[in-house]
Amino acid sequence: MSGVERKPVRTHWGICPTKFAMKTCNPLRTITEAMNIVPNPKKKLIPLSIGDPTVFGNLQACPEIQDAITEAAASGIHNGYKPTLGWNEAREAVAKYSSHQGDVKPEDVILCNGCSSAVDMIISVLVHPGQNILCARPGYSIYGTISAGFDIELRHYNLLADRNWEIDLEHLESLIDEKTAALVITNPSNPCGSVFSRSHIEKIIEIAERHFLPIIADEIYENIVFPGVEYTSVASLSKNVPILSCGGLSKRFLVPGWRLGWIIVHDRQGQLSEIRKGLTNLTGRLLGCNSLVQAALPAILNHTPQSFYDNLNRSLQKTAYTAYELLREIRGLNPVMPQGSMYMMVGIEMELFPSFDTEMDFVRALVEEQSVFCLPGECFKFPNYMRIVITVPVDIMREACLRIREFCNNHSRMDKRIISNGI
């Protein structure tokens, strides 16, 4: 009936975000934003907080990597969409590159918008609301970010600082119940910089097999290990436990902004056939990742020289050793020397710094006084520690450590006593 005014369906705007959106948060950013950090304007900020290896300019992608993306763009034939699972030539290249994980075929590979997207997809397909997944403590915050929106419980198993951050296997197994959907292993580790031994990984797999738990292997730092340290992929040791491995270009190839990651499905006993279908369905949500980076991927993975990888690992080790040697001499700090990755955890004996109640107060004051920004352990569910990145130039790391020493000397209880006694 034209001309007749309809009664409004709604009486007010009432535009509300979804529960999924409001439950989703990045704990790392929430914590750091709440700290309200203001650096000392008289000292240049040294950010030892950001896991981006390109920040200081000392670590750069090699010419072979840069040339691959330039040539892909210049060809003019890769500007359209690629298949949602990924361009086949790129998936073949990932399968070949990942042969150390076992018998990997192109159909086992799914290309994603970075490794974080790979983790998101795996959790989306593998874990149901009300279930739980097991993650490391200290551990990276992305799992909490993803799980919260899906109403998935995160259970944290302990890593042992005095054992180079090995998993407390007894504690891990005590967390498993009928609602546990998966076990997450991050190796090499963020934030610890640890690298699990072959024998330790075998013990982890034994637990997973005993409880019929698939493993999510976060291996974005694979092969970023210091000279003399052996890296072993979880999938290379598993015969019966299905593994979903996550990797990508961002860290080892020093191009985090290119946002190209992958999932590799290791399913030797055929337990993941329905999961494969679910992953295929999920790729239809974003319709594939960047076509230019996919086109460059075969050249990147096939032509990047071994010397590039070796130089990166040596550079990281040198910076880590510099930091370790300087920080271990500071009373009240207990650095744990990493074996790889791009990070180091540093213990703080808070009782020696009575001016601060928590390591967050310690870190905030460190920025305000010395303009050195480290991430508090609370970002990784591990109080009384802070994380530093080891991707900075050696001279800048040395300057940062000297500032940290001055800060600790100014606030240490013993130093004040020594000064008062005239010693």
Side-chain angles (χ1 to χ4, degrees), residues 21 23 86 137 177 213 254 301 380 421:
K23 286 184 176 181
R137 178 173 53 211
D177 63 16
L213 280 182
L254 305 178
L301 298 183
F380 312 101
N421 290 338

Side-chain angles (χ1 to χ4, degrees), residues 3 9 11 18 24 29 101 104 108 131 148 150 153 173 208 211 253 284 295 306 328 334 351 401 413 415:
V9 176
T11 59
T18 63
T24 301
R29 293 193 177 185
Q101 297 185 14
V104 181
D108 299 323
Q131 290 188 308
F150 288 122
E153 179 188 359
E173 194 159 15
H211 294 278
F253 296 87
Q306 184 62 40
R328 69 195 290 259
N334 298 300
E351 66 275 12
C401 291
R413 173 182 290 149
D415 284 342

Side-chain angles (χ1 to χ4, degrees), residues 9 31-32 43 56 73-74 79 143 160 186-187 191 200 220 232 250-251 284 320 323 336 347 369 372 401 412 415-416:
V9 176
I31 291 170
T32 54
K43 296 187 177 185
F56 288 86
N79 296 326
Y143 297 97
L160 303 171
T186 304
N187 182 52
H200 191 61
I220 187 61
T232 304
S250 62
K251 306 300 184 180
V336 183
E369 295 180 24
V372 177
C401 291
S412 169
D415 284 342
K416 290 181 178 180

Side-chain angles (χ1 to χ4, degrees), residues 179-210:
K179 291 187 177 181
T180 304
L183 165 62
V184 177
I185 300 174
T186 304
N187 182 52
S189 167
N190 176 10
C192 301
S194 56
V195 181
F196 292 153
S197 68
R198 179 187 181 95
S199 62
H200 191 61
I201 295 173
E202 288 174 338
K203 293 174 183 177
I204 298 167
I205 293 173
E206 287 175 8
I207 293 174
E209 184 169 359
R210 187 157 59 244

Side-chain angles (χ1 to χ4, degrees), residues 118-129 131-133 150 152 179-184 212-217 242-245 265 271-276 278-279 282:
V119 172
D120 189 308
M121 288 179 62
I122 290 173
I123 292 177
S124 297
V125 74
L126 196 62
V127 191
H128 299 266
Q131 290 188 308
N132 64 76
I133 58 176
F150 288 122
I152 295 167
K179 291 187 177 181
T180 304
L183 165 62
V184 177
F212 302 95
L213 280 182
I215 292 176
I216 302 171
I243 312 290
L244 292 161
S245 298
V265 180
Q271 297 105 326
L272 297 180
S273 58
E274 292 302 308
I275 296 300
R276 287 179 186 266
L279 286 170
L282 288 176

